[in-house]
Amino acid sequence: MNLTLKKTLLYSMLTFGACLILGDSPLPADEKQGADASIVNPDSSITVNNCRIKLIDRVILGSDRPGVLEFVEPNEGELVKKGQVIAALKSDALQAAKTTATKKATNDIEIRYAKKAKDTAYVELEINLDINRRLPNAVTKLDIKRLTLNAEKSDLQIEQAELEFEMNKLQLNEIDAQIEETKIIAPFDGIVTKKFRSTGEVVRHGDEVLELVSTKRVKVESYVNIEDTWKFQIGTPVEVQLDIPGIRLPIEEKLYPGKIIFVDVEVEPIHGKSIRVWAEVENQENDLKAGYMATMKILTDKPDSKVAQKSELK
C-alpha cells in the first residue's frame, strides 16, 4: 500500500469518527430524510375493537291529547316521509269551532261601526261649539262636557273593537294549534317498525302509537383508553369495518367512513381507565344493522382531523 492510499484511508476514518462525535449522519441527505420520516411520522391511527352499532334516529310517536284515533295509515315495515301525517285523532268538534272562529276573525263590522260613530260624535260636538261661538252660552257647559265625553268615548270604542278583532284572530290560531295536536307527523324519513294502536282505539295523552326508525345514519360506539383520547377531537374522521363474531360475510371487507361526534365527559368506572366515544357513519345501503359488532379506526393522522382540532380550539 503506497503512502497516498494510506493517507486517504486515514482521512476517511478520521472524518467518520468526527461525524459520530458531533452527531452528524454520514448518510446522504435524501437517505437521512427518509430515515427521519419513518420515525417522526408513524401511523398514529387508533384501532378500537368491540364497537357496537346503534341507531341514531329512533323515536316512539304518541298522542299529544286524549281522543279516538281517526286513522293510523302505515303498517309495520312501510316507509314514510318527513312531514307526513301518519295518524290523527277525531277532530269534528274542533273543526266546527274553527268554522265559528273563522267567521269572527274575518268580521270587522264593529270596527267600521265604531268609526262611523266617532265621526258623528265629533261632528255633533263641533256644531255645538260653533253655536256657542256665535251665541255665547247658548249651549250649557254641561252639554258641551257631555258631547266631549261622547267624542272621546268613540275613540275608545274603536280601540275596543280592534282589540276584539285581534282576539278573534288569536282564538282561531289557538283552535288551529289544537287541531294540529290531533295529528301525528313523521319527524324524519323512516320505516315504521312497531304499530301500537289501530284506527278507532281510544288513547290518552302520551299513549304510544307508532315507532319510527331511520337507518340512513348509525352511531358506532365503544370505549377508548384515556391516553388515546388526547389524540383526536370531535370531527376526527374514522373508518368502520364490520366484525361479526362466528361468521364471515362479504360486507365485512368494506370500509365505511364517518367522524367522531361524541366524547364522554367522564370516565366509565365499569370499563376501567376508558372513556365512551361514538362516531356517526352514513348507512345509505343499510349494511350496518343495529346490534352488529365492528372495528373502528380513528384516523388521527388524516388532514381532516387536524382541521377539526383547529376548529375546536377556536
Side-chain angles (χ1 to χ4, degrees):
M1 184 179 296
N2 56 35
L3 182 60
T4 303
L5 182 58
K6 289 181 178 180
K7 290 181 178 179
T8 302
L9 291 173
L10 181 60
Y11 178 77
S12 299
M13 294 174 64
L14 291 173
T15 303
F16 184 79
C19 290
L20 292 176
I21 294 172
L22 296 175
D24 293 336
S25 173
L27 295 174
D30 55 346
E31 294 182 11
K32 177 184 177 184
Q33 185 176 359
D36 290 344
S38 64
I39 298 173
V40 176
N41 297 316
D43 183 6
S44 58
S45 298
I46 303 168
T47 300
V48 186
N49 298 314
N50 299 320
C51 302
R52 185 171 294 277
I53 296 174
K54 298 181 179 180
L55 293 171
I56 296 176
D57 298 314
R58 184 175 195 165
V59 295
I60 294 178
L61 303 174
S63 174
D64 285 340
R65 55 190 296 132
V68 178
L69 286 168
E70 185 172 11
F71 65 87
V72 182
E73 284 188 346
N75 293 313
E76 293 182 358
E78 292 186 10
L79 297 173
V80 298
K81 295 292 184 181
K82 179 180 179 180
Q84 178 181 340
V85 179
I86 54 181
L89 301 175
K90 289 185 177 181
S91 59
D92 295 342
L94 288 174
Q95 293 293 347
K98 179 179 178 178
T99 301
T100 303
T102 301
K103 289 289 186 181
K104 290 182 179 180
T106 56
N107 182 2
D108 63 345
I109 293 176
E110 289 295 331
I111 296 176
R112 289 186 281 120
Y113 172 79
K115 289 180 178 179
K116 294 291 185 181
K118 173 185 175 181
D119 293 340
T120 302
Y122 274 98
V123 168
E124 186 178 4
L125 174 61
E126 186 60 34
I127 289 173
N128 282 272
L129 289 175
D130 185 60
I131 291 173
N132 268 1
R133 281 192 291 268
R134 288 184 287 107
L135 298 172
N137 299 321
V139 181
T140 64
K141 291 183 178 180
L142 181 60
D143 288 335
I144 295 297
K145 187 78 171 177
R146 186 181 297 109
L147 291 171
T148 301
L149 179 61
N150 286 338
E152 293 174 350
K153 179 182 177 182
S154 66
D155 290 331
L156 297 176
Q157 286 176 332
I158 293 176
E159 292 183 18
Q160 179 66 27
E162 290 175 341
L163 176 61
E164 290 180 358
F165 187 68
E166 292 300 320
M167 292 295 290
N168 290 336
K169 289 183 178 180
L170 293 176
Q171 186 178 12
L172 177 61
N173 293 338
E174 181 181 354
I175 294 175
D176 283 336
Q178 291 176 355
I179 291 175
E180 286 300 312
E181 287 181 351
T182 66
K183 303 175 183 177
I184 298 177
I185 300 173
F188 50 77
D189 294 351
I191 182 172
V192 175
T193 55
K194 290 182 182 180
K195 187 175 180 180
F196 301 101
R197 298 286 188 276
S198 299
T199 300
E201 285 195 53
V202 176
V203 293
R204 297 167 297 179
H205 175 76
D207 278 355
E208 300 171 341
V209 178
L210 293 165
E211 182 183 59
L212 185 65
V213 168
S214 173
T215 58
K216 289 184 177 179
R217 58 180 188 149
V218 296
K219 67 178 180 180
V220 181
E221 185 180 81
S222 190
Y223 292 85
V224 177
N225 291 331
I226 293 176
E227 59 266 24
D228 289 333
T229 57
W230 301 100
K231 300 177 184 178
F232 61 89
Q233 300 280 347
I234 292 175
T236 301
V238 302
E239 287 181 348
V240 173
Q241 188 171 13
L242 288 175
D243 184 15
I244 305 173
I247 58 175
R248 195 66 185 172
L249 300 176
I251 58 173
E252 293 184 67
E253 303 299 326
K254 294 176 62 176
L255 295 177
Y256 301 87
K259 61 181 179 180
I260 296 293
I261 295 296
F262 174 80
V263 179
D264 209 339
V265 296
E266 60 181 351
V267 177
E268 286 285 343
I270 298 177
H271 295 84
K273 297 179 179 179
S274 59
I275 292 178
R276 184 170 66 97
V277 301
W278 63 266
E280 179 181 319
V281 179
E282 295 295 324
N283 187 30
Q284 299 298 334
E285 298 180 4
N286 292 329
D287 291 340
L288 306 175
K289 307 291 186 184
Y292 275 173
M293 301 301 293
T295 298
M296 178 169 62
K297 190 174 184 180
I298 304 176
L299 307 177
T300 57
D301 56 341
K302 291 290 184 181
D304 291 344
S305 65
K306 296 178 182 178
V307 172
Q309 290 177 15
K310 290 181 179 179
S311 63
E312 286 294 323
L313 290 176
K314 290 180 181 179

